[in-house]
Amino acid sequence: MAGRRGSGSGDRSRPSAPPTAWWRLRRVWVAAGSVLAAAGAVAGVLSWIEARRANEAALGSDLRVAEYRVTTKSDVTQTSTSAVTEEETVREVDAAAVDIVLENRGEQPALINEIEVVVRAQDALTGCSGAGPLHVTTDYDIRIPPELRSRSVREPVLFNLGGRSRERILISLGSSASEAYAGWGTIFTVDLRLKRDSEIVATIPNLVLMQPWQRDDTIARMVSETLGDHTPGYTDCVAAHMRTLKRAIDRPGTHSPHMVELYDRLRAAGAGGTVEGIWTTELETVPDPDGAIGLDTVHDGVQRLEETLDTTVLFRFTETAVVYYHPGPFDGPDQARAWCREHGLAVPSLCRPRYVPAEG
């Protein structure tokens, strides 16, 4: 009995046998499997989240500005009231406007409920002839105060674009109040922001617009009037307006075609000082406010345009840009426009008449 008790006591106190190599390897495999399983679960969750986001994006809206150009909007009513006689005149004008093509690449409708106009510069070209005080009111889609307390104007709208569709909108912009005297118009440099619930959806920057334009041949009339006999100081006033026009045209951005043509025709007629030059067609203007564009880059641009149009292209530096043009010469702006049409460049932003002064 004693021997058996001793034997039993010995069994209880004997240390356990150490784990075999197989057992240790099995534990490693179990641990690794747990980690991989957890990682797989996380990857599965992340994959599901990404798939859901992709699905939501595909089924949501995706609004962008596909294209835009500065043009005119016809039949905008303008009322002029003389402060002296209180006589009221109503006429229709072609107001500067922005023609925008919106594209919604998503499946769901896209909403625009506000347009914000950020005014960068405002230049009023008042009357030079002393025609008398006028109060002018024009029915623009968005009216810009003559003296802004803030630098932006917000206009509530409601524009809903369906999924997978494109639509065009035309927005006229101009001064909400009058010049003190009958003037040439007002030049606005603005950014246009399309917004949804105060969030910016798209921005169209650096629009250089000029107001207003009568339905008759305003440019021809202004050129004719400028070359006539006038009261003392008229020539200096016109020269100042020409300098303002030149600064606006040299400003980088998209310009009102009427403004550029007015400046060119006045300059060709000798307004603001006699200038000798030739009528050409402007093909491209590259902003260069810092003068950083080198001759190699300019020559590459000339070669590209010459190969595309199969014609002669020259260039000239201004204070803020590089201008590429076909030298012509043309007899006037109408002949230059005809050349643009013949080369498939009837859009003013691609090809427009330009009076280039002779090199001096």
Side-chain angles (χ1 to χ4, degrees):
M1 295 292 291
R4 286 194 295 270
R5 283 197 299 272
S7 174
S9 176
D11 290 341
R12 287 194 296 271
S13 62
R14 186 174 60 192
S16 302
T20 64
W22 169 256
W23 178 256
R24 287 195 298 270
L25 184 59
R26 183 175 181 274
R27 292 177 65 184
V28 171
W29 283 350
V30 170
S34 299
V35 171
L36 291 174
V42 172
V45 171
L46 293 177
S47 178
W48 177 80
I49 292 175
E50 290 299 321
R52 181 177 178 181
R53 287 176 178 173
N55 185 58
E56 289 176 349
L59 296 178
S61 62
D62 182 9
L63 188 67
R64 71 184 186 98
V65 175
E67 58 183 271
Y68 67 91
R69 66 188 180 100
V70 173
T71 181
T72 55
K73 185 176 182 180
S74 301
D75 303 333
V76 176
T77 302
Q78 184 179 83
T79 303
S80 303
T81 306
S82 171
V84 177
T85 64
E86 296 186 356
E87 182 180 356
E88 187 175 279
T89 302
V90 180
R91 61 181 179 179
E92 292 182 339
V93 298
D94 290 341
V98 187
D99 186 357
I100 306 170
V101 177
L102 292 176
E103 181 180 17
N104 182 7
R105 293 183 291 183
E107 298 291 343
Q108 296 300 317
L111 176 68
I112 296 293
N113 55 18
E114 183 180 84
I115 297 176
E116 181 181 15
V117 179
V118 181
V119 181
R120 304 297 183 189
Q122 183 171 335
D123 303 292
L125 306 181
T126 56
C128 292
S129 58
L134 293 173
H135 178 78
V136 182
T137 303
T138 307
D139 294 331
Y140 301 113
D141 294 315
I142 299 179
R143 296 186 179 185
I144 303 174
E147 296 180 1
L148 293 177
R149 296 182 182 274
S150 64
R151 300 303 297 172
S152 65
V153 178
R154 293 177 174 84
E155 184 73 21
V157 297
L158 186 59
F159 185 79
N160 194 34
L161 182 63
R164 299 292 180 184
S165 62
R166 291 163 62 103
E167 289 191 27
R168 171 176 271 112
I169 58 175
L170 189 63
I171 305 170
S172 61
L173 299 89
S175 177
S176 62
S178 63
E179 303 89 5
Y181 291 86
W184 288 16
T186 304
I187 301 172
F188 295 99
T189 303
V190 304
D191 296 344
L192 199 65
R193 295 174 177 173
L194 308 180
K195 306 175 78 173
R196 177 181 59 243
D197 299 332
S198 299
E199 178 185 354
I200 299 175
V201 175
T203 299
I204 303 175
N206 300 326
L207 301 171
V208 187
L209 313 173
M210 184 173 179
Q211 304 287 351
W213 297 101
Q214 299 178 35
R215 297 296 303 281
D216 56 8
D217 192 0
T218 306
I219 292 178
R221 177 183 57 79
M222 291 181 67
V223 172
S224 176
E225 290 179 356
T226 300
L227 298 178
D229 296 328
H230 298 284
T231 57
Y234 186 89
T235 301
D236 292 338
C237 176
V238 170
H241 285 0
M242 293 291 288
R243 290 192 293 271
T244 301
L245 283 167
K246 179 66 164 57
R247 287 194 300 270
I249 291 169
D250 286 344
R251 219 170 273 156
T254 308
H255 301 74
S256 291
H258 281 325
M259 177 178 64
V260 178
E261 182 178 356
L262 173 64
Y263 174 79
D264 286 338
R265 291 185 64 171
L266 285 172
R267 187 168 189 174
T274 301
V275 177
E276 294 184 358
I278 58 173
W279 280 101
T280 68
T281 53
E282 179 185 335
L283 302 173
E284 186 175 334
T285 298
V286 180
D288 186 25
D290 301 322
I293 297 180
L295 282 175
D296 289 343
T297 302
V298 172
H299 290 150
D300 289 343
V302 169
Q303 182 178 359
R304 170 176 52 82
L305 289 170
E306 286 185 338
E307 291 176 352
T308 301
L309 300 175
D310 190 24
T311 190
T312 301
V313 175
L314 301 181
F315 69 91
R316 125 178 342 234
F317 289 101
T318 71
E319 294 180 0
T320 59
V322 179
V323 179
Y324 298 92
Y325 62 95
H326 172 61
F330 301 104
D331 292 337
D334 291 339
Q335 191 179 96
R337 272 191 288 266
W339 184 92
C340 292
R341 290 193 296 270
E342 290 171 2
H343 286 75
L345 302 171
V347 179
S349 60
L350 299 177
C351 182
R352 61 189 180 190
R354 190 72 190 266
Y355 191 77
V356 175
E359 298 283 0

